[in-house]
Amino acid sequence: MPCNCCEITDNAFSKAEASAEIRNYRKRGPANQTKLILEAIRALGLKDAALLDIGGGIGAIHHELLNNVAREAIHVDASSAYLKEAKEETERRGNRERVRFIHADFTDVASNLPQADVVTMDRVVCCYPDFRSLLKAAADHSRRAIALTYPRETWYMRFGFGIMNFFQRIQKDPFRVFLHPVAEMESLLKNEGFVKTSVQRLVIWEMALYQRP
Ligand SMILES: C[S@@+](CC[C@H](N)C(=O)[O-])C[C@H]1O[C@@H](n2cnc3c(N)ncnc32)[C@H](O)[C@@H]1O
């Protein structure tokens, strides 16, 4: 399916949203679903890991994991506004040399990027139509583990996403949110050699940790 996804996503995640997110992060720390990813990764007991954060937004995951788990990170994001905030925060923390920032749709640039020990995708698959290509590329780039959050497959999420997409349509905004089938995501990652080792649920988000056996 032809899709100028990067452009659509870049427009959807604006400067105003990015500023609000970084303010929240500085005030309250990582969001609850992000904390689930951080706990799952910390439980792996890695040191000096290489991290690949796809769609990392304002960079909460690498800001946190560079403290004690990761040696370096690559942050690929389709949103230039989020990347700008992520870079500024990274500099503020003295980590500028440890993070490489790439403004792109990950599926477009994946073949030029190295593998990492851990790949994270926090609330990313639900912003992208072709979850199969995205997950396949993520799996190819992970030596050890993938941790991701995605919306739970419940009636209320289906209803909520239906309303959100309805308003997007009437505003003629091409950005959509997606409730991708969890069983298909799991089966794809299993075929790529991963085993699901942990699942945690909040009201809206589910976090799954996949590891190579
Ligand atoms: C809802 S935001 C989540 C940001 C951050 N992970 C968080 O949880 O706060 C989704 C992010 O994924 C990015 N994104 C979605 N699809 C992407 C893709 N194919 N490649 C790179 N970034 C992508 C968007 O630009 C956006 O920054």
Side-chain angles (χ1 to χ4, degrees):
M1 173 184 52
C3 169
N4 52 343
C5 300
C6 195
E7 196 185 321
I8 292 171
T9 309
D10 202 355
N11 292 333
F13 295 98
S14 64
K15 194 170 176 305
E17 280 175 74
S19 309
E21 291 250 353
I22 195 74
R23 269 199 309 277
N24 267 344
Y25 173 65
R26 287 186 182 144
K27 212 189 275 177
R28 303 193 187 93
N32 288 340
Q33 66 281 353
T34 309
K35 282 185 191 155
L36 295 181
I37 289 190
L38 295 170
E39 281 162 19
I41 302 289
R42 289 201 173 106
L44 298 175
L46 302 174
K47 284 266 173 286
D48 290 334
L51 169 71
L52 170 61
D53 191 14
I54 303 169
I58 53 102
I61 291 180
H62 59 77
H63 299 323
E64 299 295 320
L65 293 182
L66 285 172
N67 288 336
N68 42 21
V69 174
R71 169 186 77 244
E72 59 186 15
I74 296 181
H75 176 167
V76 185
D77 205 298
S79 160
S80 45
Y82 274 20
L83 275 176
K84 181 174 174 294
E85 296 294 354
K87 268 186 209 164
E88 283 174 15
E89 182 64 16
T90 303
E91 261 158 38
R92 209 172 70 89
R93 289 167 172 257
N95 286 332
R96 189 60 193 89
E97 300 305 313
R98 297 167 72 193
V99 186
R100 183 174 160 199
F101 293 95
I102 299 169
H103 179 218
D105 176 335
F106 178 66
T107 61
D108 290 340
V109 296
S111 59
N112 299 323
L113 296 178
Q115 278 197 318
D117 298 301
V118 174
V119 174
T120 51
M121 284 188 290
D122 188 6
R123 302 189 301 156
V124 179
V125 284
C126 49
C127 302
Y128 197 71
D130 184 2
F131 73 93
R132 290 182 189 85
S133 303
L134 187 59
L135 286 183
K136 167 88 174 68
D140 287 345
H141 282 74
S142 170
R143 279 190 290 263
R144 309 266 309 248
I146 302 177
L148 71 160
T149 59
Y150 44 82
R152 290 180 59 184
E153 262 184 313
T154 59
W155 67 266
Y156 55 85
M157 290 307 298
R158 236 177 266 290
F159 180 70
F161 273 26
I163 292 188
M164 283 165 77
N165 286 336
F166 171 74
F167 281 108
Q168 290 294 109
R169 208 170 298 123
I170 59 176
Q171 285 166 21
K172 299 199 185 329
D173 183 330
F175 180 76
R176 297 285 182 275
V177 285
F178 302 92
L179 203 57
H180 295 307
V182 176
E184 274 191 53
M185 294 197 281
E186 178 167 0
S187 144
L188 185 151
L189 290 172
K190 270 191 183 156
N191 286 339
E192 295 299 317
F194 286 85
V195 175
K196 184 149 79 172
T197 54
S198 169
V199 182
Q200 303 285 329
R201 293 190 181 95
L202 300 171
V203 177
I204 293 177
W205 302 101
E206 181 165 305
M207 189 285 306
L209 177 71
Y210 288 85
Q211 288 179 259
R212 289 199 188 275

